[in-house]
Amino acid sequence: MPTDTPLILASSSASRRDLLDRLRIPYRAHSPDIDETPHPDETPEALVHRLALNKAQAIADEYPHHCIIGSDQVAIFGNDILGKPLSEEKACANLRRFSGQRVTFLTGLALVDTRHGQHQVHVEPFEVVFRRLSENEIRYYVAQEQPLNSAGSFRMEGLGIALFEALEGQDPNALIGLPMIALCRMLRQAGIDPLDASTFMP
């Protein structure tokens, strides 16, 4: 699938596309097909690092002259690594556990430069402090937002902001799916400057 666009987003996520749109760099979105099962004894940091890189590398052969962005996210609560809930029941159960508690999110970000055979990987931590949530609030939120494919069972960019007491971290965009400050740094290191159109126009 050749393209003159130098940037590829290895994701089908609408939220990630919305974030990348902000940079006004032409890109193509191409969803990879990879196994996201954690390895035995794999730490959360290692998991998101591996999956973000694997997502970008999975389509690298199809884009030999491009920079490919991969990203993955998990929530950590206690000793549990939480991915996508996939059902309303599981999403509600997660939010009940989170009520009044602090939850850590880790977002892995990879940029694979197939032009030069190089890659960069970054893991961005972010913490959220949940309000004490009533059962009605939890059920209303899940029914309205259907956060079934979102790590942690919420989407901050929508009604999810009403779930929180505080947000703590360097880049709140990481909660939505892409740590944009880190991404801009990676792109500049790869020779693509979001503030210099001559570096990314064909």
Side-chain angles (χ1 to χ4, degrees), residues 134-198:
S134 70
E135 183 66 18
N136 285 342
E137 288 177 318
I138 289 169
R139 290 192 172 278
Y140 179 81
Y141 172 73
V142 171
Q144 291 294 312
E145 289 270 276
Q146 292 289 303
L148 310 186
N149 291 304
S150 300
S153 307
F154 75 88
R155 288 197 292 268
M156 190 196 76
E157 64 271 31
L159 186 58
I161 196 66
L163 301 171
F164 308 135
E165 189 72 37
L167 303 175
E168 300 176 2
Q170 292 187 345
D171 187 349
N173 295 299
L175 281 182
I176 304 175
L178 279 180
M180 296 298 287
I181 295 173
L183 177 59
C184 288
R185 181 174 65 247
M186 288 179 167
L187 289 172
R188 288 193 298 269
Q189 290 176 358
I192 299 175
D193 185 348
L195 298 179
D196 183 353
S198 68

Side-chain angles (χ1 to χ4, degrees), residues 17 24 26 32 57 63 89 106 111 117 146 158 168 178:
R17 291 198 303 270
R24 303 183 184 182
Q57 290 175 331
Y63 299 100
E89 181 180 350
L106 294 176
L111 186 69
Q146 292 289 303
E168 300 176 2
L178 279 180

Side-chain angles (χ1 to χ4, degrees), residues 7 18 21 30 46 58 64 81 103 131 150 161 170 174 178 182 186 190:
L7 195 61
D18 287 344
D21 285 345
H30 183 157
I81 300 175
V103 180
R131 294 175 41 249
S150 300
I161 196 66
Q170 292 187 345
L178 279 180
M186 288 179 167

